[in-house]
Amino acid sequence: MTEHPRNLDSTPLLAKARVLVVEDDFLILLELEAMLLDAGADIAGLCRNVREALAAANGDGDVGVALLDVRLGGETVAPVARALSERGTPFVFYTGQVDTDPTLAEWPGCRIVSKPAAPRTIVTALLEAMRLSPSS
């Protein structure tokens, strides 16, 4: 059975939040999309590489928050995280390399969710990132 992250009043937790998802694994990307849609999010973009993600982050997509895999094939997501930071857009790292990836050191205060994670953990991390963002 799929877990549906919702508030106590049955409102989806991410109601109308515009979420950019950057993940190179196609199946994980699809799972994240379904989970975020179930939580009420609007998907601002589903990107599998840095080029696509930079276009989405710098476009007119009005990204409210992003979920970023740290490693995208042989690339690092750092350019995307920098672009989001410059725009004041909060983001959460979603990675299986929590303790080993040097990219994470550039954002010491950023929330990191370790793969795999329950839908509620991911949704809560995105909500906290939006709540703590100075631009919110």
Side-chain angles (χ1 to χ4, degrees), residues 8-60:
L8 292 176
D9 66 359
S10 295
T11 303
L13 288 171
L14 289 174
K16 304 301 177 201
R18 302 260 316 144
V19 182
L20 171 65
V21 183
V22 182
E23 168 62 60
D24 63 333
D25 183 293
F26 184 69
L27 293 177
I28 294 173
L29 188 67
L30 291 179
E31 288 175 5
L32 291 170
E33 177 188 27
M35 180 265 305
L36 292 168
L37 290 171
D38 280 348
D42 289 333
I43 303 299
L46 297 171
C47 304
R48 295 185 60 202
N49 60 52
V50 170
R51 182 186 50 77
E52 291 174 358
L54 282 172
N58 292 320
D60 294 333

Short mmCIF file of all heavy atoms in Angstrom, two decimals, residues 8-60:
data_model
loop_
_atom_site.label_atom_id
_atom_site.label_comp_id
_atom_site.label_asym_id
_atom_site.label_seq_id
_atom_site.Cartn_x
_atom_site.Cartn_y
_atom_site.Cartn_z
N LEU A 8 -3.27 16.44 9.07
CA LEU A 8 -4.36 15.81 9.83
C LEU A 8 -5.71 16.13 9.23
O LEU A 8 -6.64 15.34 9.35
CB LEU A 8 -4.31 16.27 11.29
CG LEU A 8 -3.09 15.76 12.08
CD1 LEU A 8 -3.10 16.35 13.48
CD2 LEU A 8 -3.08 14.25 12.13
N ASP A 9 -5.86 17.29 8.58
CA ASP A 9 -7.14 17.65 7.99
C ASP A 9 -7.31 17.09 6.58
O ASP A 9 -8.18 17.51 5.83
CB ASP A 9 -7.33 19.17 8.00
CG ASP A 9 -6.35 19.89 7.09
OD1 ASP A 9 -5.49 19.22 6.46
OD2 ASP A 9 -6.43 21.13 7.00
N SER A 10 -6.47 16.13 6.18
CA SER A 10 -6.50 15.46 4.88
C SER A 10 -6.01 16.31 3.72
O SER A 10 -6.12 15.91 2.58
CB SER A 10 -7.90 14.92 4.56
OG SER A 10 -8.24 13.93 5.49
N THR A 11 -5.49 17.49 4.00
CA THR A 11 -4.89 18.30 2.96
C THR A 11 -3.53 17.71 2.62
O THR A 11 -2.75 17.42 3.52
CB THR A 11 -4.69 19.76 3.44
OG1 THR A 11 -5.96 20.27 3.84
CG2 THR A 11 -4.11 20.62 2.34
N PRO A 12 -3.24 17.53 1.34
CA PRO A 12 -1.91 17.04 0.98
C PRO A 12 -0.83 17.98 1.54
O PRO A 12 -0.96 19.20 1.46
CB PRO A 12 -1.91 17.06 -0.55
CG PRO A 12 -3.35 17.01 -0.93
CD PRO A 12 -4.08 17.75 0.16
N LEU A 13 0.21 17.41 2.11
CA LEU A 13 1.25 18.20 2.78
C LEU A 13 1.97 19.17 1.84
O LEU A 13 2.37 20.25 2.26
CB LEU A 13 2.26 17.28 3.45
CG LEU A 13 1.76 16.56 4.68
CD1 LEU A 13 2.76 15.51 5.14
CD2 LEU A 13 1.47 17.53 5.80
N LEU A 14 2.15 18.78 0.61
CA LEU A 14 2.86 19.65 -0.33
C LEU A 14 1.90 20.34 -1.30
O LEU A 14 2.27 20.65 -2.43
CB LEU A 14 3.90 18.84 -1.11
CG LEU A 14 5.11 18.36 -0.32
CD1 LEU A 14 5.99 17.45 -1.18
CD2 LEU A 14 5.92 19.54 0.19
N ALA A 15 0.69 20.60 -0.87
CA ALA A 15 -0.33 21.19 -1.74
C ALA A 15 0.23 22.39 -2.49
O ALA A 15 0.64 23.37 -1.89
CB ALA A 15 -1.55 21.59 -0.93
N LYS A 16 0.27 22.24 -3.80
CA LYS A 16 0.67 23.30 -4.74
C LYS A 16 2.14 23.71 -4.67
O LYS A 16 2.55 24.67 -5.30
CB LYS A 16 -0.22 24.53 -4.60
CG LYS A 16 -1.69 24.23 -4.79
CD LYS A 16 -1.95 23.62 -6.15
CE LYS A 16 -3.42 23.27 -6.30
NZ LYS A 16 -3.68 22.29 -7.30
N ALA A 17 2.97 23.02 -3.89
CA ALA A 17 4.40 23.32 -3.87
C ALA A 17 4.98 22.92 -5.23
O ALA A 17 4.70 21.83 -5.74
CB ALA A 17 5.10 22.56 -2.75
N ARG A 18 5.79 23.78 -5.83
CA ARG A 18 6.43 23.50 -7.12
C ARG A 18 7.78 22.85 -6.86
O ARG A 18 8.70 23.52 -6.40
CB ARG A 18 6.59 24.78 -7.92
CG ARG A 18 5.29 25.51 -8.18
CD ARG A 18 4.67 25.32 -9.53
NE ARG A 18 5.64 25.40 -10.60
CZ ARG A 18 5.56 24.63 -11.69
NH1 ARG A 18 4.61 23.77 -11.82
NH2 ARG A 18 6.45 24.75 -12.64
N VAL A 19 7.88 21.56 -7.12
CA VAL A 19 9.07 20.78 -6.77
C VAL A 19 9.84 20.39 -8.03
O VAL A 19 9.28 19.80 -8.95
CB VAL A 19 8.69 19.51 -5.97
CG1 VAL A 19 9.95 18.75 -5.57
CG2 VAL A 19 7.87 19.87 -4.74
N LEU A 20 11.13 20.71 -8.02
CA LEU A 20 12.05 20.26 -9.05
C LEU A 20 12.74 19.00 -8.52
O LEU A 20 13.26 19.01 -7.40
CB LEU A 20 13.10 21.34 -9.34
CG LEU A 20 14.27 20.94 -10.25
CD1 LEU A 20 13.77 20.62 -11.65
CD2 LEU A 20 15.30 22.06 -10.28
N VAL A 21 12.73 17.95 -9.32
CA VAL A 21 13.37 16.69 -8.93
C VAL A 21 14.52 16.40 -9.89
O VAL A 21 14.33 16.39 -11.11
CB VAL A 21 12.37 15.51 -8.95
CG1 VAL A 21 13.04 14.24 -8.46
CG2 VAL A 21 11.13 15.83 -8.11
N VAL A 22 15.70 16.19 -9.31
CA VAL A 22 16.89 15.88 -10.11
C VAL A 22 17.42 14.53 -9.64
O VAL A 22 17.91 14.40 -8.53
CB VAL A 22 17.96 16.99 -9.96
CG1 VAL A 22 19.16 16.67 -10.84
CG2 VAL A 22 17.38 18.36 -10.30
N GLU A 23 17.30 13.54 -10.51
CA GLU A 23 17.66 12.15 -10.17
C GLU A 23 17.99 11.43 -11.47
O GLU A 23 17.17 11.45 -12.40
CB GLU A 23 16.48 11.48 -9.46
CG GLU A 23 16.59 9.97 -9.31
CD GLU A 23 17.77 9.52 -8.48
OE1 GLU A 23 17.86 9.91 -7.31
OE2 GLU A 23 18.60 8.76 -9.01
N ASP A 24 19.17 10.81 -11.56
CA ASP A 24 19.57 10.16 -12.80
C ASP A 24 18.98 8.77 -13.00
O ASP A 24 18.87 8.30 -14.12
CB ASP A 24 21.08 10.13 -12.95
CG ASP A 24 21.77 9.32 -11.87
OD1 ASP A 24 21.23 9.21 -10.75
OD2 ASP A 24 22.89 8.83 -12.13
N ASP A 25 18.55 8.12 -11.94
CA ASP A 25 17.97 6.79 -12.05
C ASP A 25 16.49 6.93 -12.43
O ASP A 25 15.69 7.47 -11.67
CB ASP A 25 18.12 6.02 -10.74
CG ASP A 25 17.60 4.61 -10.84
OD1 ASP A 25 16.36 4.42 -10.99
OD2 ASP A 25 18.41 3.68 -10.75
N PHE A 26 16.13 6.44 -13.62
CA PHE A 26 14.78 6.63 -14.15
C PHE A 26 13.70 6.07 -13.23
O PHE A 26 12.68 6.71 -13.01
CB PHE A 26 14.68 6.01 -15.55
CG PHE A 26 13.35 6.24 -16.20
CD1 PHE A 26 12.98 7.52 -16.60
CD2 PHE A 26 12.48 5.20 -16.40
CE1 PHE A 26 11.74 7.74 -17.21
CE2 PHE A 26 11.24 5.40 -17.01
CZ PHE A 26 10.87 6.67 -17.41
N LEU A 27 13.91 4.87 -12.70
CA LEU A 27 12.88 4.27 -11.84
C LEU A 27 12.70 5.05 -10.54
O LEU A 27 11.56 5.26 -10.08
CB LEU A 27 13.20 2.81 -11.57
CG LEU A 27 13.13 1.89 -12.79
CD1 LEU A 27 13.53 0.47 -12.41
CD2 LEU A 27 11.75 1.91 -13.42
N ILE A 28 13.80 5.49 -9.95
CA ILE A 28 13.70 6.30 -8.73
C ILE A 28 13.00 7.62 -9.04
O ILE A 28 12.15 8.09 -8.27
CB ILE A 28 15.09 6.55 -8.10
CG1 ILE A 28 15.68 5.22 -7.60
CG2 ILE A 28 15.00 7.56 -6.96
CD1 ILE A 28 17.11 5.32 -7.11
N LEU A 29 13.32 8.21 -10.19
CA LEU A 29 12.68 9.45 -10.61
C LEU A 29 11.16 9.28 -10.72
O LEU A 29 10.39 10.12 -10.22
CB LEU A 29 13.26 9.92 -11.94
CG LEU A 29 12.84 11.29 -12.44
CD1 LEU A 29 13.37 12.39 -11.53
CD2 LEU A 29 13.34 11.50 -13.86
N LEU A 30 10.73 8.18 -11.31
CA LEU A 30 9.29 7.92 -11.43
C LEU A 30 8.65 7.71 -10.05
O LEU A 30 7.54 8.19 -9.81
CB LEU A 30 9.04 6.70 -12.31
CG LEU A 30 9.35 6.86 -13.80
CD1 LEU A 30 9.08 5.56 -14.54
CD2 LEU A 30 8.56 8.00 -14.40
N GLU A 31 9.33 7.01 -9.17
CA GLU A 31 8.81 6.80 -7.81
C GLU A 31 8.69 8.13 -7.07
O GLU A 31 7.68 8.38 -6.38
CB GLU A 31 9.72 5.86 -7.02
CG GLU A 31 9.66 4.43 -7.46
CD GLU A 31 10.67 3.55 -6.72
OE1 GLU A 31 11.35 4.03 -5.80
OE2 GLU A 31 10.77 2.37 -7.08
N LEU A 32 9.70 8.98 -7.20
CA LEU A 32 9.65 10.28 -6.54
C LEU A 32 8.52 11.14 -7.10
O LEU A 32 7.80 11.80 -6.35
CB LEU A 32 10.99 11.01 -6.69
CG LEU A 32 12.16 10.39 -5.91
CD1 LEU A 32 13.47 11.04 -6.33
CD2 LEU A 32 11.93 10.53 -4.40
N GLU A 33 8.35 11.11 -8.42
CA GLU A 33 7.27 11.87 -9.04
C GLU A 33 5.91 11.42 -8.48
O GLU A 33 5.09 12.26 -8.07
CB GLU A 33 7.29 11.70 -10.55
CG GLU A 33 6.12 12.42 -11.22
CD GLU A 33 6.01 12.11 -12.70
OE1 GLU A 33 6.43 11.02 -13.14
OE2 GLU A 33 5.49 12.98 -13.43
N ALA A 34 5.67 10.12 -8.46
CA ALA A 34 4.39 9.61 -7.96
C ALA A 34 4.17 9.98 -6.50
O ALA A 34 3.08 10.41 -6.10
CB ALA A 34 4.33 8.09 -8.14
N MET A 35 5.22 9.84 -5.69
CA MET A 35 5.11 10.16 -4.27
C MET A 35 4.82 11.64 -4.06
O MET A 35 3.98 12.01 -3.25
CB MET A 35 6.41 9.76 -3.57
CG MET A 35 6.45 10.03 -2.09
SD MET A 35 7.22 11.59 -1.64
CE MET A 35 8.80 11.48 -2.41
N LEU A 36 5.50 12.51 -4.81
CA LEU A 36 5.28 13.95 -4.66
C LEU A 36 3.90 14.37 -5.15
O LEU A 36 3.24 15.21 -4.53
CB LEU A 36 6.38 14.73 -5.39
CG LEU A 36 7.77 14.59 -4.78
CD1 LEU A 36 8.83 15.14 -5.72
CD2 LEU A 36 7.83 15.27 -3.42
N LEU A 37 3.44 13.76 -6.23
CA LEU A 37 2.09 14.05 -6.71
C LEU A 37 1.06 13.60 -5.67
O LEU A 37 0.08 14.32 -5.41
CB LEU A 37 1.83 13.38 -8.06
CG LEU A 37 2.59 13.97 -9.25
CD1 LEU A 37 2.41 13.10 -10.49
CD2 LEU A 37 2.15 15.41 -9.52
N ASP A 38 1.27 12.44 -5.06
CA ASP A 38 0.38 11.96 -4.00
C ASP A 38 0.35 12.93 -2.82
O ASP A 38 -0.66 13.05 -2.13
CB ASP A 38 0.81 10.58 -3.49
CG ASP A 38 0.36 9.45 -4.40
OD1 ASP A 38 -0.47 9.69 -5.30
OD2 ASP A 38 0.86 8.33 -4.20
N ALA A 39 1.48 13.60 -2.58
CA ALA A 39 1.56 14.56 -1.47
C ALA A 39 1.04 15.94 -1.86
O ALA A 39 1.11 16.87 -1.06
CB ALA A 39 3.01 14.66 -0.98
N GLY A 40 0.54 16.07 -3.10
CA GLY A 40 -0.08 17.32 -3.52
C GLY A 40 0.82 18.29 -4.25
O GLY A 40 0.40 19.39 -4.59
N ALA A 41 2.06 17.91 -4.52
CA ALA A 41 3.01 18.81 -5.17
C ALA A 41 2.68 18.98 -6.65
O ALA A 41 2.09 18.10 -7.27
CB ALA A 41 4.43 18.28 -5.02
N ASP A 42 3.09 20.12 -7.18
CA ASP A 42 3.14 20.33 -8.62
C ASP A 42 4.60 20.07 -9.01
O ASP A 42 5.51 20.56 -8.34
CB ASP A 42 2.77 21.77 -8.99
CG ASP A 42 1.31 22.08 -8.78
OD1 ASP A 42 0.48 21.15 -8.86
OD2 ASP A 42 0.98 23.25 -8.54
N ILE A 43 4.82 19.34 -10.07
CA ILE A 43 6.18 19.03 -10.49
C ILE A 43 6.68 20.14 -11.41
O ILE A 43 6.13 20.38 -12.49
CB ILE A 43 6.24 17.66 -11.20
CG1 ILE A 43 5.69 16.54 -10.29
CG2 ILE A 43 7.65 17.36 -11.66
CD1 ILE A 43 6.46 16.35 -9.00
N ALA A 44 7.72 20.83 -10.97
CA ALA A 44 8.32 21.92 -11.75
C ALA A 44 9.27 21.36 -12.80
O ALA A 44 9.58 22.04 -13.77
CB ALA A 44 9.06 22.89 -10.83
N GLY A 45 9.74 20.15 -12.61
CA GLY A 45 10.63 19.51 -13.56
C GLY A 45 11.14 18.19 -13.04
O GLY A 45 11.30 18.02 -11.83
N LEU A 46 11.35 17.27 -13.96
CA LEU A 46 11.96 15.97 -13.67
C LEU A 46 13.21 15.90 -14.54
O LEU A 46 13.11 15.83 -15.77
CB LEU A 46 11.02 14.82 -14.02
CG LEU A 46 9.71 14.76 -13.24
CD1 LEU A 46 8.78 13.69 -13.85
CD2 LEU A 46 9.96 14.46 -11.78
N CYS A 47 14.36 15.97 -13.92
CA CYS A 47 15.62 16.08 -14.66
C CYS A 47 16.55 14.94 -14.31
O CYS A 47 16.67 14.57 -13.15
CB CYS A 47 16.29 17.42 -14.34
SG CYS A 47 15.21 18.84 -14.66
N ARG A 48 17.26 14.46 -15.34
CA ARG A 48 18.17 13.33 -15.13
C ARG A 48 19.63 13.70 -15.28
O ARG A 48 20.50 12.84 -15.12
CB ARG A 48 17.80 12.20 -16.09
CG ARG A 48 16.41 11.66 -15.76
CD ARG A 48 16.04 10.47 -16.58
NE ARG A 48 16.98 9.39 -16.35
CZ ARG A 48 17.17 8.40 -17.22
NH1 ARG A 48 16.50 8.36 -18.34
NH2 ARG A 48 18.04 7.45 -16.95
N ASN A 49 19.92 14.97 -15.62
CA ASN A 49 21.32 15.39 -15.74
C ASN A 49 21.44 16.87 -15.39
O ASN A 49 20.44 17.57 -15.23
CB ASN A 49 21.87 15.07 -17.13
CG ASN A 49 21.11 15.77 -18.24
OD1 ASN A 49 20.90 16.98 -18.21
ND2 ASN A 49 20.66 14.99 -19.22
N VAL A 50 22.66 17.34 -15.28
CA VAL A 50 22.92 18.72 -14.86
C VAL A 50 22.38 19.71 -15.89
O VAL A 50 21.79 20.73 -15.52
CB VAL A 50 24.44 18.93 -14.61
CG1 VAL A 50 24.76 20.40 -14.42
CG2 VAL A 50 24.89 18.12 -13.40
N ARG A 51 22.54 19.44 -17.16
CA ARG A 51 22.08 20.36 -18.20
C ARG A 51 20.57 20.60 -18.08
O ARG A 51 20.12 21.75 -18.07
CB ARG A 51 22.44 19.82 -19.59
CG ARG A 51 22.03 20.74 -20.74
CD ARG A 51 22.28 20.09 -22.10
NE ARG A 51 21.76 18.75 -22.25
CZ ARG A 51 20.46 18.46 -22.46
NH1 ARG A 51 19.57 19.39 -22.52
NH2 ARG A 51 20.09 17.19 -22.60
N GLU A 52 19.80 19.53 -18.00
CA GLU A 52 18.36 19.65 -17.86
C GLU A 52 17.99 20.39 -16.57
O GLU A 52 17.09 21.23 -16.56
CB GLU A 52 17.70 18.26 -17.82
CG GLU A 52 17.72 17.48 -19.09
CD GLU A 52 17.18 16.07 -18.90
OE1 GLU A 52 16.81 15.68 -17.76
OE2 GLU A 52 17.13 15.33 -19.90
N ALA A 53 18.68 20.05 -15.50
CA ALA A 53 18.36 20.64 -14.19
C ALA A 53 18.69 22.13 -14.15
O ALA A 53 17.93 22.92 -13.58
CB ALA A 53 19.11 19.89 -13.09
N LEU A 54 19.81 22.52 -14.77
CA LEU A 54 20.14 23.95 -14.82
C LEU A 54 19.09 24.72 -15.62
O LEU A 54 18.70 25.83 -15.24
CB LEU A 54 21.53 24.16 -15.41
CG LEU A 54 22.69 23.89 -14.47
CD1 LEU A 54 24.01 23.96 -15.23
CD2 LEU A 54 22.69 24.87 -13.30
N ALA A 55 18.65 24.15 -16.73
CA ALA A 55 17.61 24.80 -17.53
C ALA A 55 16.34 24.98 -16.71
O ALA A 55 15.71 26.04 -16.74
CB ALA A 55 17.33 24.00 -18.80
N ALA A 56 15.95 23.96 -15.96
CA ALA A 56 14.74 24.05 -15.13
C ALA A 56 14.93 25.03 -13.98
O ALA A 56 14.03 25.81 -13.66
CB ALA A 56 14.37 22.67 -14.60
N ALA A 57 16.09 24.99 -13.35
CA ALA A 57 16.35 25.86 -12.20
C ALA A 57 16.42 27.33 -12.60
O ALA A 57 16.02 28.21 -11.85
CB ALA A 57 17.65 25.46 -11.50
N ASN A 58 16.93 27.61 -13.80
CA ASN A 58 17.09 28.99 -14.26
C ASN A 58 15.94 29.47 -15.14
O ASN A 58 15.93 30.60 -15.58
CB ASN A 58 18.42 29.13 -15.03
CG ASN A 58 19.60 28.98 -14.11
OD1 ASN A 58 19.59 29.47 -12.99
ND2 ASN A 58 20.63 28.29 -14.58
N GLY A 59 14.98 28.59 -15.39
CA GLY A 59 13.86 28.95 -16.26
C GLY A 59 12.77 29.69 -15.51
O GLY A 59 12.94 30.14 -14.38
N ASP A 60 11.66 29.81 -16.18
CA ASP A 60 10.50 30.50 -15.60
C ASP A 60 9.57 29.54 -14.87
O ASP A 60 8.41 29.85 -14.67
CB ASP A 60 9.72 31.22 -16.70
CG ASP A 60 10.52 32.35 -17.32
OD1 ASP A 60 11.39 32.89 -16.62
OD2 ASP A 60 10.28 32.67 -18.49
#
